[in-house]
Amino acid sequence: MNMNALEKSMKALIAIAAALSGAVVATAAPSVDDTHLAATADIVAPEERPALPQVEHAGPVAYMNGGAGLDEAGYMKAHAREFSLQVIFSGRGGEYGVADRVSVQRGGEEIAAVEEAGPYLLMQLPPGRYTVEADFDGGVERRSVTIGQGTRRIDWSTAKASD
């Protein structure tokens, strides 16, 4: 056994013994030449990344709108339980859709409206009964929803979202 192999074996034995005894042993990290990484990695500077959806307000209603890309969709899904209403728009083939406008009404009165809504629309509505209207290229569709405790989800599938 050469000296380099013996040294590696000794370090491994010391690390195993330390791990079994609960001690912490610091070892040097192997040297890595990373000068090529910037040229080969798919790196996007933080200032060049698209902003993730933020909480906005439509009248008294807080909402978050977006989810078109994988990052946005994951972000929206992660925050869905923070809102009382989650609406997901999709087309006839299951592809995500966007409504030209979404209106939320309570007692016949519009309390919130969001332009270019979707594919994920998260809204914080107080408990009650609502009518949600979505405009897809001039055609309006309606859904009734009752908000209680937790998050209510509407999977809004329509051929109009595909057009």
Side-chain angles (χ1 to χ4, degrees):
M1 183 179 287
N2 68 31
M3 201 56 179
N4 194 20
L6 180 61
E7 184 178 328
K8 287 181 182 178
S9 295
M10 290 300 293
K11 285 182 180 179
L13 286 173
I14 292 170
I16 291 170
L20 291 173
S21 70
V24 177
V25 176
T27 60
S31 172
V32 176
D33 178 17
D34 62 357
T35 56
H36 68 285
L37 292 179
T40 60
D42 185 18
I43 298 173
V44 178
E47 62 275 3
E48 295 175 13
R49 292 182 192 143
L52 292 173
Q54 299 297 310
V55 175
E56 299 181 55
H57 288 84
V61 177
Y63 73 93
M64 193 181 299
N65 181 38
L70 288 176
D71 288 345
E72 276 192 29
Y75 185 79
M76 298 291 285
K77 289 176 187 177
H79 289 279
R81 294 201 179 273
E82 298 170 20
F83 295 84
S84 58
L85 178 63
Q86 175 184 11
V87 183
I88 304 164
F89 295 103
S90 63
R92 68 186 106 159
E95 68 280 0
Y96 286 129
V98 174
D100 296 326
R101 183 175 192 273
V102 170
S103 169
V104 178
Q105 300 160 13
R106 186 173 189 179
E109 179 183 338
E110 183 177 86
I111 62 167
V114 178
E115 303 294 325
E116 300 296 319
Y120 287 88
L121 177 61
L122 309 176
M123 302 184 94
Q124 187 57 47
L125 300 169
R129 294 182 50 80
Y130 298 89
T131 299
V132 182
E133 291 184 349
D135 183 333
F136 298 95
D137 213 15
V140 176
E141 293 186 13
R142 291 173 186 79
R143 304 285 193 274
S144 295
V145 63
T146 300
I147 302 296
Q149 298 298 316
T151 300
R152 176 80 160 99
R153 178 175 166 153
I154 299 175
D155 290 304
W156 200 310
S157 180
T158 177
K160 293 178 183 177
S162 300
D163 297 337

